[in-house]
């Protein structure tokens, strides 16, 4: 189990545009970013990332969520694995403690 303060630090540090941008090419549209959805095949971008809200949403296939759920979905990881991935990306040490 990852301590809650470490989880909070990862969630506060992880920037959704930065993380999603590692996997797709984002283009700025107003205050948000758009791209072709990485979860289904499309030619016209319907995938939107909102840095102010910290969420993504595809208006084609309906997938949506936070930075952690994006990593989980795109990389087929569990919640803990996604947190470890983000912790590594941002240089945050993730120590698991055993439940007693």
């Amino acid at each position: 189990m990852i301590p809650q303060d470490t989880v909070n630090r990862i969630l506060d540090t992880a920037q959704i545009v930065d993380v999603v941008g590692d996997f797709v090419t984002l283009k700025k549209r107003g205050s948000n970013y758009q791209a072709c959805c990485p979860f289904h095949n499309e030619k016209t971008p319907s995938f939107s990332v909102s840095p102010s809200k910290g969420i993504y949403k595809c208006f084609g296939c309906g997938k949506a969520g936070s930075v952690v759920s994006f990593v989980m979905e795109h990389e087929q990881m569990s919640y803990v694995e996604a947190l470890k991935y983000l912790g590594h990306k941002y240089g945050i040490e993730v120590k698991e403690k055993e439940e007693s």
Side-chain angles (χ1 to χ4, degrees):
M1 186 170 145
I2 300 173
Q4 189 60 45
D5 62 322
T6 304
V7 173
N8 292 341
R9 214 164 119 223
I10 292 168
L11 295 177
D12 290 343
T13 306
Q15 299 295 313
I16 192 156
V17 172
D18 189 29
V19 174
V20 173
D22 288 346
F23 302 102
V24 295
T25 303
L26 295 171
K27 292 186 178 150
K28 189 145 173 71
R29 294 272 195 270
S31 62
N32 295 332
Y33 291 80
Q34 278 194 321
C36 288
C37 182
F39 303 117
H40 76 281
N41 234 353
E42 66 180 0
K43 292 184 173 125
T44 306
S46 63
F47 184 79
S48 181
V49 178
S50 172
S52 61
K53 295 178 183 172
I55 59 169
Y56 69 92
K57 166 88 173 143
C58 177
F59 295 95
C61 67
K63 295 206 187 252
S66 67
V67 66
V68 176
S69 62
F70 178 84
V71 173
M72 288 171 62
E73 182 80 30
H74 193 271
E75 296 298 295
Q76 262 79 78
M77 293 181 173
S78 69
Y79 181 73
V80 172
E81 290 170 330
L83 286 174
K84 287 180 181 177
Y85 171 87
L86 292 169
H88 178 74
K89 177 175 174 57
Y90 288 99
I92 299 170
E93 190 176 350
V94 178
K95 290 183 182 176
E96 289 190 72
K97 61 180 182 184
E98 291 189 25
E99 292 185 42
S100 55

